[in-house]
Amino acid sequence: MVLEINDAGEGPSYRPNNQSDMVRTLRRTTSYVDDDQDNIFVGYQDVVETLLAELLKAEPRRSVISIYGMGGLGKTTLARNLYISPNIVNRFHTLAWICVSQEYNTMDLLRNIIKSIKGCTKETLDLLEKMTERDLEIYLRDLLKEPKYLVVVDDLWHREAWESLKRAFPDSKNGSRVVITTRKEDVAERADNKGFVYRLRFLSQEESWDLFCRKLLDVQAMVSAMERLAKDMVDRCGGLPLAIVVLSGLLSHKRGFEEWQKVKDHLWQHIKDNSIEISYILSLSYNDLPTALKKCFLYFGIIPEDHEVHVDHILWLWMAEGFIPTGEEIMEDVAEGFLNELIRRSLIQVVRTFWEKISKCRIHDLLRDLAVQKALEVNFFDIYDPRKHSISSLCLRHAIHSQGQRYLALDLSNLKLRSLMFLDPDFLNMGPIKFRNVFQHLYVLYLEMRVDNMSIVPDAIGSLYDLKFLRLRAIHCDQWKDVDPVDLVNLRELSMHDITKTYSLNNISSLKNLSSLKLLCKDCESFPALEFLYSCQKLHKLWLQGRIEKLPLSDQFPNSIIMMILSSSELTEDPMPTLGMLPNLRNLDLFRAYGGKEITCSDNSFSQLEILRLDCLENLERWHLATSAMPHIKGFAISHCPKLHEIPERMKDVETLKRDRLN
């Protein structure tokens, strides 16, 4: 039996008259998320300076800096801020970051370090798949032999994991460093006999209050009586940053003294040793969420521990699952508002931003543990356990993090699954399973497969009438021609890779509800004809990466397109006259898309455009912008356009956007 996630714990501030009111409230209060991840370090400046000095000191030996402390102190955030510090970026020639977690695979860790250094080109991925563990270790040592490197090994739980990795980190006596974060003192102490071990301290009372106030949405509304209540609660957080920011996020959505007093009364029931258990603060914040947001939060528990999440993916998964209410607002905007609200409450952390919007996020381990616990209580989802070779038959959602082939060996005949997510990097194919019978009611199918000649796409995918989200990665794109999508009427997002000019993409025209389409050509390949795009009349987001021999005319694009990215298009004709006629285009990104010297934006063109990014247009010399073009432009970014010495006068008053960055 699937239990309901009910509204019992919702706070008064989220009991609107109807669902539309709630959506409008969330959209109004969460339209933009401030970059406040650094707030946590106001009290840790001494820590940052100490660790920076240790990383940069004139010690040629490859040394290990170990940071340890309990969960919620901010070890990962501290390491990330060190990692992106200009002092570090300018001193180390090679940087890499990996997350280890409790369950790890040494070969995957080695591959991830190599990909962090070399990138994820097809050639690199193909090469790594053929290597043994010993091959990977030798290859990584060779990569790190010459440059001065910094590798961050985040969330290390077991000494054995470090022992299996450290042989790949050579000591070339050039000042290279390895940073380890761990909750375990013995792991930190034994990583390097001559290394530097730092126990991350708790925040002082003053630092705790400062952090709380910085995260509070409306400090001015906190009258003296509320301030006294808050200080009592913050003091009981014991200087633990995660507890403080989650408490601040919770109280930000409570109005007035009485509401704050109720929170305090709840917390005081769970005081132990003069402090509040962090697990109760986290649970209280979860219980305060509206039902729709509870479901969105729980979904993060499906993601493997320490994984970074692409925002586009999580938003589309929410929409496919039916968590996002429909109404007057665009669903993507509502979903983005929901995510921003979870971030405001410090339940989700920002990892990366792009175009002033969040592109990657993550959930803290302790909050993920809460999501998994709450999900199991209501049969929201289950994660396959290969050790017990079991998974709940009561849940509508199954996630597989490892040994996907064994999962398929289970008796799945009586299940009525709505979501199936293969997040197993070693998963090869769906095998001979009777796909149509077992998974016929799927809303979500997420396949992350290893690159392999034997990988297959089940031909019955085309008959999944209810399917709204389909992700097929690291498989051969030409298999799409064998999938008849005639019944995929509800599919809303599609991503395809390794396209060549010989492929036919015409059957995409059958996907009448498609809203997001990402097509990536194989290296140095051209797209086949793109006329099929016109049939996708609900398409909002279009990403085309690869050579386009001739851009379709404006009337061959659907009018519904809101966001477009053209990458490595190598167009020879100015694309602006065509793109400028798209009536609803708001965001446009041109990256190595055009090789000409001029672009012209004529009168009345780009009538809705708000964001423009021009990147790596190396021959561009002149930009002509008519007086009435781009009337709603809010921001733009120009980079790596060396011959463009002057921008239109009117654009000089428009905000210059920051480039993609880690937070």
Side-chain angles (χ1 to χ4, degrees), residues 123-140:
E123 290 74 18
T124 299
L125 295 176
D126 288 344
L127 179 64
L128 296 182
E129 290 302 327
K130 297 172 184 175
M131 290 185 176
T132 64
E133 183 175 325
R134 180 62 177 159
D135 293 335
L136 290 166
E137 183 182 311
I138 294 172
Y139 185 73
L140 180 55

Side-chain angles (χ1 to χ4, degrees), residues 14 26 29-30 33 37 215 245-246 249-250 253 285-286 288-300 314-315 318 324 335-350 358 361-363 367:
Y14 277 110
L26 285 177
T29 58
T30 63
V33 175
Q37 293 294 306
K215 293 292 290 185
V245 297
V246 171
L250 173 62
H253 295 82
S285 186
Y286 165 77
D288 188 61
L289 295 173
T291 300
L293 277 180
K294 283 180 178 174
K295 293 177 181 179
C296 293
F297 171 76
L298 292 184
Y299 217 82
F300 276 93
I314 198 71
L315 299 187
W318 290 348
I324 308 301
E336 186 180 3
F338 281 20
L339 176 64
N340 288 345
E341 176 66 7
L342 292 176
I343 293 168
R344 292 276 192 199
R345 291 171 177 258
S346 294
L347 297 176
I348 300 300
Q349 300 172 346
V350 176
I358 303 156
C361 59
R362 69 186 293 270
I363 185 170
L367 284 160

Side-chain angles (χ1 to χ4, degrees), residues 59-337:
E59 167 63 59
R61 185 183 73 88
R62 189 273 283 149
S63 61
V64 178
I65 292 89
S66 300
I67 307 168
Y68 79 95
M70 72 173 289
L73 271 174
K75 300 180 295 297
T76 296
T77 313
L78 171 60
R80 188 175 298 283
N81 275 262
L82 292 170
Y83 186 74
I84 64 172
S85 165
N87 288 323
I88 295 298
V89 173
N90 293 332
R91 298 285 190 89
F92 290 89
H93 307 127
T94 298
L95 297 111
W97 179 293
I98 56 161
C99 296
V100 181
S101 303
Q102 296 187 61
E103 297 182 9
Y104 67 93
N105 178 293
T106 302
M107 290 184 67
D108 285 340
L109 295 177
L110 292 169
R111 288 190 193 107
N112 287 339
I113 300 172
I114 294 168
K115 286 187 285 188
S116 184
I117 297 169
K118 295 279 290 181
C120 295
T121 64
K122 187 175 187 302
E123 290 74 18
T124 299
L125 295 176
D126 288 344
L127 179 64
L128 296 182
E129 290 302 327
K130 297 172 184 175
M131 290 185 176
T132 64
E133 183 175 325
R134 180 62 177 159
D135 293 335
L136 290 166
E137 183 182 311
I138 294 172
Y139 185 73
L140 180 55
R141 279 188 66 86
D142 287 341
L143 280 180
L144 297 176
K145 191 176 294 181
E146 296 296 330
K148 180 179 179 181
Y149 64 84
L150 170 66
V151 177
V152 177
V153 182
D154 186 36
D155 202 16
L156 188 67
W157 283 79
H158 307 289
R159 293 202 311 271
E160 295 78 11
W162 170 243
E163 293 297 325
S164 67
L165 287 175
K166 71 177 184 180
R167 294 188 299 271
F169 301 139
D171 184 2
S172 300
K173 301 295 189 293
N174 60 2
S176 293
R177 300 284 185 264
V178 178
V179 173
I180 288 174
T181 71
T182 179
R183 297 186 194 181
K184 298 196 170 185
E185 183 177 2
D186 65 319
V187 172
E189 294 283 358
R190 300 187 186 187
D192 184 348
N193 291 334
K194 298 180 181 179
F196 182 79
V197 179
Y198 193 92
R199 179 178 182 178
L200 192 56
R201 63 173 175 81
F202 293 89
L203 295 177
S204 68
Q205 188 177 50
E206 182 181 349
E207 291 165 347
S208 297
W209 180 247
D210 187 29
L211 176 59
F212 173 84
C213 292
R214 285 174 176 271
K215 293 292 290 185
L216 200 64
L217 290 184
D218 188 1
V219 178
Q220 300 301 321
M222 182 171 57
V223 298
S224 57
M226 295 168 69
E227 182 175 330
R228 287 193 295 272
L229 282 179
K231 283 186 173 179
D232 280 348
M233 289 185 272
V234 171
D235 287 347
R236 296 301 192 275
C237 290
L240 192 65
L242 181 62
I244 295 166
V245 297
V246 171
L247 175 64
S248 184
L250 173 62
L251 292 178
S252 289
H253 295 82
K254 300 293 184 182
R255 298 289 179 261
F257 176 84
E258 290 184 1
E259 291 297 319
W260 283 32
Q261 182 66 55
K262 288 178 184 178
V263 172
K264 181 181 177 182
D265 292 343
H266 279 296
L267 293 177
W268 255 234
Q269 297 172 21
H270 294 80
I271 288 183
K272 182 179 180 182
D273 297 330
N274 205 36
S275 65
I276 307 166
E277 289 283 341
I278 183 174
S279 59
Y280 187 71
I281 295 177
L282 303 186
S283 292
L284 194 62
S285 186
Y286 165 77
N287 290 334
D288 188 61
L289 295 173
T291 300
L293 277 180
K294 283 180 178 174
K295 293 177 181 179
C296 293
F297 171 76
L298 292 184
Y299 217 82
F300 276 93
I302 291 178
I303 309 301
E305 186 179 357
D306 288 324
H307 276 222
E308 296 177 356
V309 180
H310 288 277
V311 165
D312 276 352
H313 291 178
I314 198 71
L315 299 187
W316 275 102
L317 286 166
W318 290 348
M319 287 187 280
E321 292 279 6
F323 300 162
I324 308 301
T326 56
E328 299 175 1
E329 302 250 5
I330 296 172
M331 284 184 72
E332 294 95 323
D333 291 345
V334 177
E336 186 180 3

Side-chain angles (χ1 to χ4, degrees), residues 18-33:
N18 56 54
Q19 190 163 257
S20 297
D21 289 344
M22 183 196 75
V23 170
R24 280 195 292 271
T25 299
L26 285 177
R27 289 288 297 132
R28 184 170 60 250
T29 58
T30 63
S31 59
Y32 180 74
V33 175

Side-chain angles (χ1 to χ4, degrees), residues 432-479:
I433 191 168
K434 294 182 179 179
F435 197 88
R436 187 193 307 266
N437 297 332
V438 177
F439 301 132
Q440 61 179 322
H441 297 297
L442 283 182
Y443 281 12
V444 170
L445 176 59
Y446 195 110
L447 296 177
E448 289 274 0
M449 293 183 178
R450 195 177 77 197
V451 176
D452 189 282
N453 288 333
M454 297 303 293
S455 296
I456 63 168
V457 182
D459 56 9
I461 282 180
S463 66
L464 298 180
Y465 183 86
D466 294 318
L467 198 66
K468 295 182 176 70
F469 181 100
L470 173 64
R471 178 170 172 80
L472 305 173
R473 185 178 177 188
I475 57 177
H476 294 287
C477 186
D478 59 347
Q479 293 182 27

Side-chain angles (χ1 to χ4, degrees), residues 530 546-552 566-576 578-579 590-597 617 619:
L530 297 172
R547 188 184 303 122
I548 300 174
E549 294 182 356
K550 185 172 178 57
L551 198 66
L566 297 182
S567 175
S568 303
S569 309
E570 300 182 17
L571 292 166
T572 56
E573 295 182 13
D574 180 5
M576 295 315 217
T578 296
L579 302 180
L590 301 180
F591 176 77
R592 291 180 180 157
Y594 172 53
K597 295 182 179 181
L617 306 184
N619 296 325

